[in-house]
Amino acid sequence: MRQAEFDGRGSRIRWTETPGAEPARVYVHGLGAASTVYHAHIAARSELVGRRSLFVDLPGHGISDRPAGFGYTLEDHADALAAALDEAGVTGAELIAHSMGGSVAVVLAHRRPELVSKLVLTEANLDAHPPKSAGSRVIAAYEEDAFVDRGHARMLAAVGPLWAATMRLADPRALHRSAVGLRRGSDPVMRTLLEGLVIDRVYLQGELSGELPGRDRLEASGVRVVTVPDAGHNVMFDNPDAFAAAVAG
């Protein structure tokens, strides 16, 4: 486990790392998740093993610190992720990022382009104000204190054992602020940032999640959109073969 200060007040973002060839692959989780849980089984596959791999937990999640005074916006998360990569001496990384982590990765690639050479986004949030079914929208519908007092426990009971296993590790206040930040989106919004990037970009959409809105425009900007059969939001669990193939590129 390694760590880096990210807020100027001693708070640490942490990650686990395996050695290997460069460029590094950096795995980033979604809202209420943890990177190793969602991606270690992918990085260990034969077609991917041998590359330096970092499994980063965003602030408020997993093994990273959860400062009460931190904003947890997409930009805040991106800057914290940049601090981790700077401390690790990583440039030109391939970012493999899921859901909210994909949004953070897009913002990072825009703000610190030297850090990122490729994006593999799995059902990343590209727009503000996600659909009513999105977990971030349910969380953000609470007032912050109300979510801390009772909403977090309700979410753990409602989301099922898979998501709850990592959500219970996330700080409730950090989780709420992250959901609010995700619902607010970046400025310009993530979709616009993604379309303006010139690096290699892959977007994985689970077949069971339905058609990706704005797919034609994304593809026109050079994003390779892959619909993964027999998969929903968690493509890396539902169809690991297709997921690994997309990462291997």
Side-chain angles (χ1 to χ4, degrees):
M1 183 174 64
R2 298 185 61 184
Q3 59 184 8
E5 184 177 339
F6 66 85
D7 65 349
R9 294 188 288 272
S11 302
R12 303 299 204 274
I13 183 171
R14 297 186 177 90
W15 65 97
T16 53
E17 181 174 336
T18 61
E22 302 284 350
R25 292 192 178 111
V26 178
Y27 295 86
V28 188
H29 61 84
L31 181 68
S35 284
T36 304
V37 175
Y38 275 70
H39 293 115
H41 67 294
I42 297 296
R45 291 175 62 101
S46 59
E47 61 266 49
L48 297 176
V49 74
R51 289 280 289 276
R52 184 184 182 190
S53 299
L54 288 73
F55 305 91
V56 184
D57 285 345
L58 296 171
H61 293 73
I63 57 176
S64 290
D65 287 346
R66 48 213 65 205
F70 194 63
Y72 299 97
T73 66
L74 292 177
E75 290 82 3
D76 289 335
H77 280 303
D79 288 347
L81 181 56
L85 300 189
D86 287 340
E87 177 67 24
V90 169
T91 58
E94 298 178 4
L95 262 62
I96 299 93
H98 179 229
S99 197
M100 183 189 78
S103 306
V104 173
V106 170
V107 173
L108 175 66
H110 172 72
R111 292 164 74 92
R112 295 286 306 277
E114 76 280 7
L115 296 180
V116 185
S117 64
K118 177 181 179 179
L119 289 174
V120 179
L121 307 175
T122 308
E123 296 223 349
N125 303 84
L126 299 181
D127 303 301
H129 306 293
K132 292 181 179 180
S133 59
S136 59
R137 185 160 184 161
V138 177
I139 294 171
Y142 285 89
E143 294 295 329
E144 183 174 306
D145 288 341
F147 182 77
V148 172
D149 291 341
R150 58 184 182 276
H152 186 242
R154 289 177 179 174
M155 285 295 296
L156 290 177
V159 299
L162 185 67
W163 196 10
T166 54
M167 184 182 289
R168 67 189 179 192
L169 304 178
D171 177 76
R173 200 169 299 278
L175 186 63
H176 183 270
R177 291 182 188 173
S178 296
V180 170
L182 181 59
R183 189 170 185 268
R184 182 184 302 121
S186 61
D187 184 19
V189 76
M190 297 82 77
R191 183 181 296 273
T192 300
L193 297 181
L194 179 61
E195 291 171 350
L197 297 174
V198 295
I199 58 175
D200 187 15
R201 295 153 293 161
V202 181
Y203 190 103
L204 304 182
Q205 176 77 356
E207 178 186 35
L208 303 180
S209 298
E211 184 61 31
L212 174 65
R215 175 172 183 156
D216 291 346
R217 189 171 134 185
L218 286 175
E219 291 180 327
S221 73
V223 179
R224 181 161 61 93
V225 179
V226 179
T227 300
V228 182
D230 303 318
H233 187 61
N234 297 323
V235 176
M236 69 290 295
F237 295 145
D238 297 337
N239 194 334
D241 291 341
F243 188 89
V247 175

